[in-house]
Amino acid sequence: MCCVQGVFKLLLRSLDAAQQTILRHEAGLTTLCLAFVCPVESLAPCHAVCVLSVGDSLAYVLSRRHGLREITTGSRDVRCERDIRDAGGALGPVRNGTDPELHNLTLSMTLVDAEDVVFLTTDGISDNFDPVITKIAAPLTTQSRDDRVDKDDDDDDDDDDDEAATETAGDDAADNNGQEMSGDVGQRSVDIGQSSGDGGQKSDVGQSSDDRHQRLGDQRSQDVGQRSGDGGQRSDDGRPLMTPAERHQYAVKEMERIVHEFELFAECSCSAQELTGIIVQHVLRLTDIKRKVWFFVCPSVSLSVCLSLYLSVCLSICLSVCSSVCLHVQHRN
């Protein structure tokens, strides 16, 4: 049995060791995602998955009871638009030639059952489940929290200016009314006498107030209906518009869908090795056209470079598969 706090300390020491190794070998930058599956005595038979992540490498759990979910959602705000070129953090000589960028260093934990599968991905895998990147949908941009705060401050300043202008106009109107008041006393007495016999006109005033409230209510309901219908908006080329949160939800569900399709075909639950193979093959199919276009556009690239790229992809697949298998085996034990 393990102490979760001790596991996270171990993961942080591993992070420091990786940073020192990169500097010692004068290597470049990299993201990092570590996962440790351990039994917890107080929560038996459940296990705890402790994850450390820096950058945009993500961790997921395929649960037999609850479906597929991401563990590392705390590494970024899934409700805001992000730049896929910015990983958010990295190990290596990012700052001052020695320090890493730990802006989105995240420690996450979740509970899993005995038959669940924990697997890790780089952004090269997870980004290709984003419907905007795969051209299935178009981005519906939303303001970030900082932009909303700045806009609210600007609106408050505008409101203050409007209130000051209104007060000035009100003072001018009061002065004019004061000048006209002395000459209108007789006329007002006549108007008062007439209004005493015209009680029906007062109901018209009340009716106009009711109409105004009704129009405001209709406008609000129309605005709410328009906001609730944002999911049906489409881009100029007919693709649906999706917010960042909807894109994240779609990516997780799409990953879960291809796993379930394999299980329906195989008529059994997929293993950790099969799961990673399914996901990698799906991404390879999606990016096949891009890789072919790149090859034909760059015919001057030597065969040795092409072979090295191919071997790098194969090595990445093997490492991903082995990582998932090791996690699954450790999980079973």
Side-chain angles (χ1 to χ4, degrees), residues 22-99:
I22 292 173
L23 297 179
R24 186 167 58 253
H25 291 278
E26 298 181 353
L29 309 183
T30 182
T31 61
L32 180 67
C33 187
L34 303 174
F36 194 99
V37 182
C38 58
V40 181
E41 184 176 6
S42 59
L43 299 174
C46 292
H47 290 64
V49 181
C50 303
V51 179
L52 179 148
S53 63
V54 176
D56 51 7
S57 295
L58 308 178
Y60 296 88
V61 173
L62 176 62
S63 173
R64 304 304 180 187
R65 292 194 302 168
H66 307 293
L68 193 144
R69 68 183 185 273
E70 182 191 341
I71 308 174
T72 48
T73 52
S75 61
R76 77 273 186 212
D77 190 349
V78 298
R79 300 168 299 176
C80 297
E81 192 75 26
R82 71 179 184 93
D83 185 358
I84 62 174
R85 297 168 297 181
D86 182 11
L91 297 185
V94 183
R95 295 181 174 181
N96 304 323
T98 57
D99 298 331

Side-chain angles (χ1 to χ4, degrees), residues 149-165:
V149 171
D150 294 339
K151 185 177 184 302
D152 291 340
D153 293 340
D154 294 338
D155 292 341
D156 291 340
D157 294 338
D158 294 340
D159 292 340
D160 294 339
D161 295 338
D162 293 340
E163 289 177 1

Side-chain angles (χ1 to χ4, degrees), residues 189-295:
S189 62
V190 176
D191 293 340
I192 291 172
Q194 291 178 351
S195 64
S196 62
D198 296 335
Q201 293 180 358
K202 293 182 180 180
S203 64
D204 292 337
V205 174
Q207 186 175 2
S208 64
S209 177
D210 295 338
D211 293 340
R212 185 167 60 253
H213 287 296
Q214 184 175 2
R215 286 195 300 271
L216 289 174
D218 294 340
Q219 183 65 33
R220 289 174 182 172
S221 62
Q222 183 178 359
D223 293 340
V224 171
Q226 191 173 16
R227 287 195 298 269
S228 64
D230 286 344
Q233 294 182 1
R234 292 186 175 274
S235 62
D236 295 337
D237 56 1
R239 291 180 296 165
L241 298 178
M242 286 189 175
T243 64
E246 291 171 339
R247 290 164 55 185
H248 174 262
Q249 184 179 11
Y250 177 93
V252 174
K253 291 300 181 182
E254 178 67 6
M255 196 178 294
E256 185 178 15
R257 181 189 66 80
I258 65 171
V259 173
H260 285 170
E261 285 185 354
F262 173 84
E263 292 179 338
L264 288 174
F265 177 79
E267 297 183 349
C268 64
S269 299
C270 66
S271 63
Q273 183 176 0
E274 290 171 336
L275 183 146
T276 52
I278 295 165
I279 293 176
V280 171
Q281 287 301 319
H282 176 79
V283 173
L284 289 177
R285 284 195 298 269
L286 288 177
T287 58
D288 182 59
I289 297 177
K290 295 180 182 178
R291 285 181 280 111
K292 287 181 179 179
V293 170
W294 177 84
F295 179 79

